[in-house]
Amino acid sequence: EPEVTQTPSHQVTQMGQEVILRCVPISNHLYFYWYRQILGQKVEFLVSFYNNEISEKSEIFDDQFSVERPDGSNFTLKIRSTKLEDSAMYFCASKRRAGGPEQFFGPGTRLTVL
Amino acid sequence: GESVGLHLPTLSVQEGDNSIINCAYSNSASDYFIWYKQESGKGPQFIIDIRSNMDKRQGQRVTVLLNKTVKHLSLQIAATQPGDSAVYFCAEYATSGSRLTFGEGTQLTVNP
């Protein structure tokens, strides 16, 4: 069964450093998302991406964040200058078609900012 | 603001019992309500959804009930098994947007 994959599984970085989190969505999916989950809290939407542009972003997704689909398979989230409060699990998700709610989530990348 | 929230943070049941996990929501404009299961160290996994114009939907061992009058959503799991132990999140989705809005989560523990 096809699934969303994410790398790395755990990323440790120093405050102020740039990180890139990588995702490979399910191959025939067209809609891509990033969510984050601070330890013990609920999952929060960051951004959605379709047709090579951002469809929607939350108030969390400020100028420090960017997303890119550099080729036909990868979807990346970049944080330019990490802060301590960026420490969280970051989940990538994808969806095949518009309208329906079902998004398929990857296993997540745990980002730890020291 | 509008949010999706849960009544209870934890639920402990005996194997074989039925489980009921509850959720309150406040955004009446949502088109779908969804239940996700999250096992430790994994991403959320879709369980079942229900359109806002329905009040009940059944899946395999799961039933979702939607009461729009009191803005309440529940997930019933029949014959709960140890593999059902996880955190369960309700979420809402409006087709006018793209995001899922998640609630706080309920930790379900199934005791053998």
Side-chain angles (χ1 to χ4, degrees):
Chain A
E1 186 174 323
E3 56 185 21
V4 176
T5 59
Q6 291 184 243
T7 54
S9 56
H10 192 187
Q11 174 87 50
V12 181
T13 190
Q14 295 291 325
M15 189 170 57
Q17 295 297 304
E18 174 183 288
V19 294
I20 298 176
L21 309 183
R22 303 181 190 278
C23 168
V24 179
I26 295 173
S27 62
N28 62 348
H29 285 193
L30 301 176
Y31 299 83
F32 313 112
Y33 309 85
W34 283 101
Y35 292 82
R36 79 171 186 191
Q37 185 178 32
I38 295 170
L39 185 64
Q41 298 186 20
K42 62 185 177 181
V43 178
E44 300 175 289
F45 170 80
L46 292 177
V47 66
S48 59
F49 191 86
Y50 169 71
N51 200 25
N52 280 321
E53 60 184 29
I54 291 174
S55 310
E56 185 180 0
K57 60 183 180 180
S58 72
E59 58 281 0
I60 303 169
F61 194 89
D62 61 22
D63 291 344
Q64 293 299 311
F65 291 88
S66 62
V67 289
E68 191 178 30
R69 188 156 164 81
D71 53 42
S73 60
N74 291 283
F75 180 50
T76 61
L77 174 69
K78 182 193 290 186
I79 308 175
R80 266 181 266 281
S81 178
T82 50
K83 302 187 283 287
L84 294 176
E85 54 265 37
D86 293 328
S87 294
M89 282 291 286
Y90 287 80
F91 294 106
C92 174
S94 69
K95 185 172 79 169
R96 186 172 63 87
R97 60 181 179 86
E102 186 174 357
Q103 297 177 15
F104 293 83
F105 283 76
T109 292
R110 177 168 298 285
L111 176 64
T112 301
V113 183
L114 303 177
Chain B
E2 294 175 317
S3 65
V4 181
L6 293 163
H7 292 305
L8 297 173
T10 62
L11 178 64
S12 185
V13 300
Q14 292 298 122
E15 183 178 357
D17 286 353
N18 296 333
S19 302
I20 300 175
I21 301 171
N22 296 303
C23 177
Y25 68 91
S26 58
N27 185 2
S28 302
S30 295
D31 298 296
Y32 288 88
F33 298 91
I34 311 104
W35 283 100
Y36 275 86
K37 173 185 180 183
Q38 186 177 26
E39 296 174 280
S40 181
K42 297 184 179 180
Q45 179 186 4
F46 176 91
I47 302 172
I48 191 169
D49 64 21
I50 186 168
R51 291 184 68 111
S52 59
N53 61 356
M54 299 172 64
D55 52 25
K56 181 179 180 178
R57 188 173 185 210
Q58 289 185 289
Q60 188 176 12
R61 273 200 314 117
V62 295
T63 301
V64 57
L65 299 177
L66 177 64
N67 185 331
K68 293 182 284 293
T69 302
V70 295
K71 297 182 180 177
H72 184 266
L73 182 72
S74 69
L75 177 70
Q76 300 178 2
I77 305 173
T80 316
Q81 303 167 359
D84 294 327
S85 293
V87 177
Y88 289 81
F89 292 94
C90 63
E92 58 174 336
Y93 174 79
T95 54
S96 59
S98 57
R99 70 175 72 187
L100 292 171
T101 301
F102 283 84
E104 297 291 338
T106 293
Q107 172 72 58
L108 174 66
T109 302
V110 182
N111 301 307

